[in-house]
Amino acid sequence: MRLLIVEDDPHIAELLRDGLREDGYAVDHAASAEEGFALAGLFPHDLLILDVMLPEGIDAGYRLGQRLREVGNLAPILYLTARGTVEDRVTGLEAGGDDYLIKPFAFRELRARVRALLRRAGGYAHNTLSLSGGFLLDLTAKEVYRGSSRCDLTRKEYALLELLAHHPGRTFTRDEIIERLWDGEEGVEPKVIDVYVSSIRRKTEEGLIGTVRGVGYRLGDGP
């Protein structure tokens, strides 16, 4: 398996590179976010280990993770950083991360986390639902694909489709959808759901979401 390490501290980079190579992995190393992004585009990697504070800024690692997810890179991401607050960890997970390890760390723990991520992901970090018509929901990247093409759904459109996909066969009223997606926010009119459904159908296909007249919406065909 091939791993990518993005780490600007030469001593930590050497520790990671040598240790993981001894474990039998092929390892690429980049010392900056830009170099890491370029390497990630050149080779398919089974796991990405990203430092957070890089030459491009204190949050450069998070931004790199987001960029990689945006271009469809689904390899698991392990963030490695000295920033260990709850807010930092949440930010890392929301920036496409699958795990988070705080410096200083024991190499034994890093090795165990690497193995766990690779074992869980089977080589890739995608957790998917297959829908009718060849559509695929990537629950990690929060994207919808058909073959190699990505459907350009907004966050709310994706969330609505994912809600229906997790409950195949169940019909949701407009009010139930508002409660789930807007967390009880006031002032959201039921007709806005019709607008979102129409947009999803236009971007995917008409039959992906079915209408139950007088009730609401359901997944057209269950995953």
Side-chain angles (χ1 to χ4, degrees), residues 50-68:
L50 308 182
D51 187 18
V52 173
M53 291 183 281
L54 293 166
E56 291 85 352
I58 61 173
D59 293 318
Y62 294 148
R63 295 196 300 271
L64 173 58
Q66 290 174 323
R67 287 178 67 192
L68 291 170

Side-chain angles (χ1 to χ4, degrees), residues 78 99-102 104-115:
L78 170 61
D99 202 355
Y100 198 100
L101 185 59
I102 300 171
F105 58 89
F107 189 80
R108 281 175 43 198
E109 182 179 2
L110 180 132
R111 177 187 287 126
R113 288 175 182 266
V114 166
R115 289 176 176 171

Side-chain angles (χ1 to χ4, degrees), residues 65-76:
Q66 290 174 323
R67 287 178 67 192
L68 291 170
R69 291 294 187 240
E70 288 169 359
V71 299
N73 191 316
L74 302 179

